[in-house]
Amino acid sequence: MAEELTPETPDEAEEPIKQRKNSLYPAVSDELAENMKTGWADTELRDLEPIPQADRTAARRAALSRRFPGERLVIPSGNLKTRSNDTEYAFRPSTEYAYLTGDHTHDSVLVLEPTGEGHEATVYLLPRSDRENGEFWLDGQGELWVGRRYSLTESEQRLGIPAKDVRELAERLRGATGPVRVVRGHDAAVEAALTDKVTAERDEELRVYLSEARLVKDAFEIGELERACASTARGFEDVVRVLDKAQATSERYIEGTFFLRARVEGNDIGYGSICAAGPHATTLHWVRNDGPVRPGDLLLLDAGVETTTLYTADVTRTLPINGRFSDLQRKIYDAVYEAQEAGIAAVKPGAVFRDFHDAAQRVLAEKLVEWGLVEGPVERVLELGLHRRWTLHGTGHMLGMDVHDCAAARTEAYVDGVLEPGMCLTVEPGLYFQADDLTVPEEYRGIGVRIEDDILVTEDGNRNLSAALPRRSDEVEAWMAGLQG
């Protein structure tokens, strides 16, 4: 990794450029500095097309304006986060900012200024790197080091929003008058500029509104979720084709294989992939992915591709590593499949969100009683929650730009709410028998099964967006055999 250069007299720049200790080039001559200012072609992009969702983001901003008339609204994208010393994690903008702008740049802020007729939106961005003061080649975030940025004019064309230099924003915010709300947790400098103008309660109302606004997806969002599910299905196929290589290495081969598909067809993975083989499948969020992959065990793969517009799939399949379920594995798998079928059937407009969870959990409780693992009757088991020792988690959640989308929504609008067409959620029952669970027969221990699909609520019921991946045990075996030749 190359190291940055440093100017000889950084104090002369409009904004001093940070120097790196132990640079091999501790100074820049006046001659070189002058040379680097000239001789560059005009690279301004002209006649850019708006981003595909520009009309949607405009409608979202209009709805936000109607909800908070007369108030200044501030929505930051967030800043780079240090991974180690002077390297940063890959940047992903705040969901609220991306939802309202379609922009993915760091250190950016959307501001809605109140007017007599609503709000005027402005997006504050970092402009192109300054070549006159040497920023573009001397600063660690200069364009020579990290790549070209869109100019403010280009950004206006792409986003359909007037754009200004974000470096002017803090002073503007400090001088703001009237009611202000900000989405917290993404930009400390923005929050500091507003520290005497906002309250936690009012800011939380803004966050809650933006979370609930995403409960019902529009046509663009549904298309992106379909795209995410299609790429995810291909990623699962990739994994099945290389299970022999994973057996020779570890779960990391599975993780890397799926990640390749996510990066080629999308922006990234939507969350840390769970590549849990053998007893690791009983750990709900196993993301270490460093264990062995053994024939005869099950692989629980929970992974999702995030599209370039930041909508993610969230799919789980539990696969026999050698291509065939054992009798006990099949019995447990088929029970989870039956529970998922009951859950999916309960997803429809007008149903209460909790209905699909209750339907799936009842099936699992019935199976546990039938197998003699817990004493019935089933109603008693459900009332006391005794089945939860082996089912552990809720049966699903909203899905969208966040894998657990709309998480800040009010309880009455989410888990106690009513399903509407356009909502997208997961249905993901599971059974998990821990390796050290002495309350179950030894042969059950270390087996974990989850089946998860992404379900869109439609006008007349639901549609499984991830149906390209088989779910029934015999279909899973046939699918794997076909992929492995």
Side-chain angles (χ1 to χ4, degrees):
M1 184 177 182
E3 66 169 353
E4 297 141 27
L5 306 175
T6 53
E8 185 172 29
T9 55
D11 292 339
E12 294 177 4
E14 182 179 352
E15 292 185 7
I17 296 170
K18 182 180 179 182
Q19 297 191 56
R20 173 185 281 176
K21 186 178 182 181
N22 294 319
S23 170
L24 293 177
Y25 291 98
V28 174
S29 69
D30 292 341
E31 290 78 5
L32 177 58
E34 286 300 314
N35 178 275
M36 292 296 287
K37 293 179 182 180
T38 61
W40 304 103
D42 178 8
T43 60
E44 183 76 6
L45 304 175
R46 295 171 175 84
D47 301 319
L48 288 173
E49 292 294 323
I51 58 175
Q53 68 270 43
D55 58 336
R56 306 287 182 175
T57 56
R60 296 166 192 166
R61 294 192 300 274
L64 176 62
S65 174
R66 290 191 294 271
R67 172 61 180 81
F68 298 102
E71 303 186 49
R72 181 178 282 101
L73 308 174
V74 182
I75 301 95
S77 72
N79 315 125
L80 295 173
K81 293 181 173 60
T82 299
R83 180 182 184 274
S84 174
N85 188 29
D86 56 356
T87 61
E88 292 87 20
Y89 288 103
F91 179 74
R92 200 272 198 190
S94 74
T95 292
E96 296 88 351
Y97 175 84
Y99 178 73
L100 293 168
T101 67
D103 180 50
H104 297 170
T105 58
H106 60 83
D107 298 321
S108 305
V109 186
L110 172 68
V111 178
L112 271 63
E113 299 277 356
T115 65
E117 300 179 351
H119 286 82
E120 180 179 288
T122 304
V123 61
Y124 289 83
L125 307 166
L126 284 171
R128 295 289 308 279
S129 290
D130 191 335
R131 303 204 176 202
E132 187 64 27
N133 71 0
E135 174 204 350
F136 90 102
W137 70 290
L138 293 171
D139 187 86
Q141 291 299 319
E143 292 183 1
L144 183 146
W145 290 95
V146 299
R148 186 188 188 279
R149 296 193 285 265
Y150 286 109
S151 72
L152 297 182
T153 301
E154 292 166 350
S155 294
E156 289 182 347
Q157 295 175 17
R158 295 181 66 249
L159 304 177
I161 313 172
K164 294 183 179 179
D165 189 336
V166 71
R167 293 172 295 190
E168 304 169 358
L169 180 60
E171 189 61 32
R172 288 175 179 263
L173 293 178
R174 281 191 286 269
T177 59
V180 184
R181 298 179 192 257
V182 63
V183 176
R184 299 190 180 202
H186 301 299
D187 194 317
V190 167
E191 292 178 35
L194 294 170
T195 186
D196 60 342
K197 307 176 191 302
V198 295
T199 67
E201 293 77 15
R202 289 166 51 77
D203 292 348
E204 181 64 11
E205 288 176 356
L206 173 60
R207 189 172 79 104
V208 168
Y209 168 81
L210 290 172
S211 196
E212 293 182 8
R214 303 197 307 274
L215 282 168
V216 176
K217 271 60 181 178
D218 60 34
F220 175 85
E221 294 178 291
I222 292 169
E224 289 302 293
L225 288 167
E226 291 172 332
R227 193 187 319 275
C229 286
S231 290
T232 297
R234 289 188 285 272
F236 274 68
E237 292 172 352
D238 296 339
V239 167
V240 171
R241 291 190 181 101
V242 300
L243 278 178
D244 58 334
K245 294 181 174 64
Q247 292 176 53
T249 52
S250 75
E251 296 162 339
R252 289 191 177 184
Y253 204 97
I254 295 166
E255 179 182 11
T257 298
F258 187 85
F259 180 70
L260 176 61
R261 178 67 64 173
R263 287 293 282 164
V264 168
E265 295 193 0
N267 175 61
D268 206 330
I269 51 175
Y271 54 95
S273 298
I274 299 168
C275 308
H280 289 163
T282 67
T283 300
L284 298 183
H285 288 169
W286 176 261
V287 293
R288 299 180 202 171
N289 299 335
D290 59 359
V293 180
R294 300 188 181 98
D297 283 345
L298 297 177
L299 167 67
L300 191 158
L301 178 58
D302 184 337
V305 172
E306 178 186 74
T307 67
T308 54
T309 57
L310 308 185
Y311 289 83
T312 185
D314 181 8
V315 178
T316 306
R317 290 294 183 269
T318 304
L319 311 173
I321 292 168
N322 63 7
R324 300 285 296 181
F325 291 100
S326 71
D327 289 345
L328 180 59
Q329 289 169 349
R330 189 184 305 275
K331 182 176 83 166
I332 296 170
Y333 183 96
D334 288 350
V336 174
Y337 171 77
E338 186 178 330
Q340 194 200 28
E341 283 283 273
I344 292 174
V347 175
K348 54 191 174 184
V352 176
F353 180 87
R354 293 178 183 271
D355 286 351
F356 75 91
H357 169 74
D358 293 341
Q361 293 296 300
R362 174 171 289 277
V363 172
L364 296 179
E366 290 171 350
K367 296 297 182 181
L368 292 166
V369 171
E370 177 186 326
W371 299 340
L373 301 184
V374 63
E375 182 181 349
V378 171
E379 294 298 337
R380 168 183 171 272
V381 172
L382 291 169
E383 180 182 354
L384 300 177
L386 302 179
H387 60 299
R388 293 180 60 190
R389 181 181 179 102
W390 304 285
T391 65
L392 299 174
H393 56 79
T395 308
H397 52 80
M398 291 294 179
L399 183 69
M401 296 186 79
D402 290 330
V403 65
H404 296 140
D405 208 27
C406 313
R410 294 166 298 162
T411 300
E412 57 266 32
Y414 191 158
V415 297
D416 290 337
V418 175
L419 297 181
E420 300 177 38
M423 289 182 172
C424 188
L425 52 90
T426 66
V427 178
E428 50 175 311
L431 283 172
Y432 312 91
F433 300 102
Q434 305 300 317
D436 58 351
D437 188 349
L438 301 181
T439 70
V440 300
E442 185 175 359
E443 60 268 24
Y444 283 75
R445 299 172 197 165
I447 294 178
V449 174
R450 179 164 67 252
I451 311 171
E452 177 181 20
D453 284 272
D454 301 342
I455 310 298
L456 174 70
V457 183
T458 62
E459 294 288 346
D460 57 357
N462 68 67
R463 179 158 60 92
N464 186 347
L465 301 183
S466 48
L469 289 171
R471 295 184 294 126
R472 216 173 61 201
S473 57
D474 58 334
E475 293 174 343
V476 168
E477 291 174 334
W479 171 71
M480 293 181 69
L483 290 171
Q484 295 172 341

